[in-house]
Amino acid sequence: RIDLPDGFVPQDIRVTASPNDLPHALQGLGYLVEYPYGCVEQTMSRFMPLVMVKHAAQKTAIDLPPDAMATLPEALKRGLARLYNFQHEDGSWGWFRKDDPDDAMSLYVAYGLVRCRLTGTPIEQSVIDRACAFLQRRVRVSELPEHHAARARYILALAGKAEKADVFIFAQELLAREGDKLPPGAVLVNAALACRETGLSELGARLWSRARAWKPVSTSEQSLMLMAQVAFGESIEACDETIGAILGQRKGTRWNHTRDTAWALEALSEFVAYAPSVKPSPPLELSIDGKAVVSKEDQKSSLSVRWASEGAALDTGRPTSIVITGDERTPVHYSVTVAGVQKLDDARPVGEGVKLTRRYETLDGQPIGDASSVKVGQVIVAKVTLELAKDESYLLVEDRRPAGFEFADDQLRGAASSKAAHNEFRDDRVAAFFASLPAGRHELVYYLRAESAGLSHVLPGVAYPMYRDNDRGETGANRLRIAP
């Protein structure tokens, strides 16, 4: 039974049922595909897991979310073109095209491109060659932090570009450390995988024997652990424990952010291909409000049963009843997702560590409130003020364009505009991205032109660190009246 909250207008319902929890995790693919922005990391996160899940599906009965997979060809085409264009001359990547080289971002993209190529996905060799040359230079000068140095060697090994002697020396140095100098688990795992890929099997096994007792906490490290367990042939029981930890980190149909979601989905798809003995779903029947929507005869042999309302509105006047009928001897994991819009006639400002306020003014600095109005053709100023309690990294600020207005130009102004790594003027919003911002007060300014008479209820502007999107600041809603 689903009791929808007051003011919620449902537009779509999706039900997934299966004898295990893995198919539900794949729903995170939709979150990645639909994410509205395209920095380097999120471009990579958008299509790499789709490629890996599709590759796994060729080896097992896993069924793919049709809406996500339908977007794969276009997401892959656009994503690769964007990543190729954003690559710096030295083979590195930053957060956006004009950013300084960033080791973490370069490692992430190089890994994703190499992994996709290993599935048979066409990737420009020159792009991988330049990326590997950049990583080789960074490894040789020993300027990378240890966890990046281990990861770089693993990526080079996957690409067939690792220097075997270098990997051997690096592994021996790690094995020589004891006690409180023992390397972190992620370093040991990446080094073990690098050894395995370069033919140093005995060294890889010794490193893995030290790493296998590691208890990672974060989603990215748990995903790395699962990848290593599959690579080194650990038992299904050991893998299941790690999978449980990964699935336990989910929030709804996704993980903390785009990168965590991408890591988790890649690792889970690797396991599905490793353990194709996972049994298909037993025949299930599904009814919504007493109406049968899936019968046993409708089903194919797969790991799950999926049903979507295809945009049909739900009855909001009473609770919705969902009944799943199956084999009493087989446990059924199910998930229900209802999507729609929430009516918020009076949205208030929110936020503590990240605060955002919005103010509209005339060109001569007079405030424009709910009771005042502007005329068609008049240009006004939108001032967005961000207050940070502490220094922040990878921050997104977006403000909605009011209905009845157009952007007067596509120039972002204000003292903070020069610190933005990238900004975008979209049909419905303006967005600014910051690689870093210090604690304190920051202002962004842009201009709007009134085009159509009427009353606009302006949605809240929002600011949040892109890898901690629960730490949000919102402006609250405004009203703007345009007189004829």
Side-chain angles (χ1 to χ4, degrees), residues 366-377:
Q366 298 301 309
I368 302 172
D370 290 355
S372 55
S373 63
V374 299
K375 295 181 179 180
V376 170

Side-chain angles (χ1 to χ4, degrees), residues 401-466:
R401 177 181 64 80
F405 288 82
E406 295 292 340
F407 294 116
D409 58 26
D410 58 358
Q411 297 297 311
L412 193 63
R413 300 170 174 84
S417 62
S418 61
K419 301 174 184 176
H422 182 73
N423 65 73
E424 297 179 8
F425 282 79
R426 298 192 164 207
D427 287 345
D428 65 340
R429 73 192 74 181
V430 57
F433 305 83
F434 298 89
S436 62
L437 265 182
R441 186 182 179 93
H442 307 275
E443 186 176 73
L444 296 171
V445 176
Y446 63 95
Y447 291 85
L448 295 163
R449 177 182 291 106
E451 297 284 347
S452 304
L455 176 64
S456 175
H457 188 170
V458 193
L459 293 170
V462 62
Y464 57 87
M466 299 178 78

Side-chain angles (χ1 to χ4, degrees), residues 147-446:
H147 62 290
H148 283 172
R151 188 68 173 174
R153 287 172 169 87
Y154 174 42
I155 295 166
L156 290 169
L158 282 175
K161 301 283 188 179
E163 297 177 5
K164 193 170 185 177
D166 170 71
V167 175
F168 179 85
I169 293 170
F170 185 73
Q172 290 282 25
E173 290 175 349
L174 294 178
L175 287 168
R177 290 160 56 178
E178 300 286 351
D180 58 359
K181 294 184 178 180
L182 193 68
V187 173
L188 289 171
V189 169
N190 277 305
L193 291 169
C195 287
R196 180 178 177 275
E197 292 294 331
T198 50
L200 300 169
S201 301
E202 190 271 337
L203 267 181
R206 288 171 62 193
L207 287 165
W208 174 241
S209 69
R210 291 194 175 191
R212 70 196 320 167
W214 178 39
K215 298 295 183 184
V217 175
S218 69
T219 300
S220 60
E221 291 183 338
Q222 290 165 350
S223 301
L224 174 63
M225 186 66 169
L226 181 59
M227 295 284 289
Q229 287 173 324
V230 169
F232 286 98
E234 291 293 312
S235 67
I236 298 298
E237 291 74 20
C239 294
D240 281 343
E241 183 178 347
T242 307
I243 290 171
I246 294 172
L247 295 177
Q249 299 265 21
R250 271 185 308 173
K251 298 179 178 180
T253 59
R254 63 182 181 90
W255 282 261
N256 286 326
H257 45 69
T258 51
R259 189 164 53 191
D260 270 2
T261 303
W263 285 132
L265 290 173
E266 184 208 10
L268 292 170
S269 67
E270 194 80 356
F271 172 78
V272 168
Y274 173 62
S277 59
V278 177
K279 295 181 180 180
S281 173
L284 297 173
E285 293 180 344
L286 177 66
S287 64
I288 309 291
D289 285 335
K291 179 182 178 182
V293 294
V294 176
S295 67
K296 293 181 179 180
E297 292 73 25
D298 293 336
Q299 297 173 47
K300 300 176 182 178
S301 178
S302 67
L303 291 183
S304 64
V305 175
R306 299 179 188 273
W307 178 82
S309 66
E310 298 180 352
L314 302 179
D315 185 352
T316 60
R318 55 183 174 79
T320 296
S321 174
I322 300 175
V323 177
I324 300 170
T325 308
D327 182 348
E328 64 181 5
R329 295 166 296 178
T330 305
V332 175
H333 297 249
Y334 66 89
S335 64
V336 179
T337 305
V338 181
V341 294
Q342 182 79 27
K343 290 183 177 180
L344 294 172
D345 291 333
D346 189 23
R348 300 288 185 177
V350 298
E352 294 181 1
V354 179
K355 295 182 179 181
L356 196 68
T357 56
R358 176 173 60 201
R359 175 185 171 95
Y360 295 113
E361 296 179 355
T362 62
L363 293 180
D364 58 2
Q366 298 301 309
I368 302 172
D370 290 355
S372 55
S373 63
V374 299
K375 295 181 179 180
V376 170
Q378 183 177 347
V379 174
I380 65 171
V381 186
K383 292 185 177 181
V384 179
T385 302
L386 174 67
E387 294 182 61
L388 301 178
K390 60 184 180 67
D391 297 352
E392 294 287 359
S393 299
Y394 302 117
L395 193 78
L396 166 64
V397 180
E398 64 176 13
D399 196 29
R400 298 282 186 161
R401 177 181 64 80
F405 288 82
E406 295 292 340
F407 294 116
D409 58 26
D410 58 358
Q411 297 297 311
L412 193 63
R413 300 170 174 84
S417 62
S418 61
K419 301 174 184 176
H422 182 73
N423 65 73
E424 297 179 8
F425 282 79
R426 298 192 164 207
D427 287 345
D428 65 340
R429 73 192 74 181
V430 57
F433 305 83
F434 298 89
S436 62
L437 265 182
R441 186 182 179 93
H442 307 275
E443 186 176 73
L444 296 171
V445 176
Y446 63 95

Side-chain angles (χ1 to χ4, degrees), residues 97-152:
R97 180 169 55 185
K98 297 180 181 180
D99 277 357
D100 293 333
D102 183 279
D103 287 330
M105 207 67 71
S106 299
L107 288 166
Y108 186 65
V109 178
Y111 172 79
L113 293 178
V114 171
R115 285 281 287 160
C116 286
R117 190 183 67 172
L118 291 174
T119 68
T121 304
I123 305 291
E124 283 191 17
Q125 185 62 44
S126 61
V127 174
I128 290 181
D129 288 344
R130 289 198 303 274
C132 288
F134 171 77
L135 296 182
Q136 287 168 336
R137 289 193 297 272
R138 298 291 288 151
V139 165
R140 289 192 190 107
V141 297
S142 301
E143 292 181 351
L144 290 170
E146 189 175 59
H147 62 290
H148 283 172
R151 188 68 173 174

